Amino acid sequence: MPGESILVTAGFLARYGALSIWLLIPMTVIAATLGNYGAYGLGSRFSHLIPLRWGRWIGITAP
């Protein structure tokens, strides 16, 4: 589920008392930070494979 949809849902739940806003804020900061580090790690590890495998079909070349 995309992060924006989860944040909207969590905001509604916090507004109506089902979640604590003081718990929600640090949880979203931690989740966003871990997600960014994870995406960066995957991109830095595997991004060179895209031009090598599919580059000729999408019009890019390997550096």
Side-chain angles (χ1 to χ4, degrees):
M1 181 174 234
E4 293 84 7
S5 301
I6 293 172
L7 284 177
V8 170
T9 304
F12 278 118
L13 291 173
R15 166 65 176 96
Y16 292 109
L19 283 175
S20 168
I21 191 70
W22 300 112
L23 180 62
L24 183 61
I25 291 171
M27 285 175 51
T28 56
V29 169
I30 291 169
T33 303
L34 291 175
N36 286 337
Y37 279 125
Y40 176 80
L42 287 173
S44 67
R45 176 68 175 100
F46 298 110
S47 65
H48 70 281
L49 298 176
I50 293 171
L52 294 176
R53 184 165 181 168
W54 296 291
R56 62 184 165 148
W57 288 291
I58 58 176
I60 59 175
T61 59

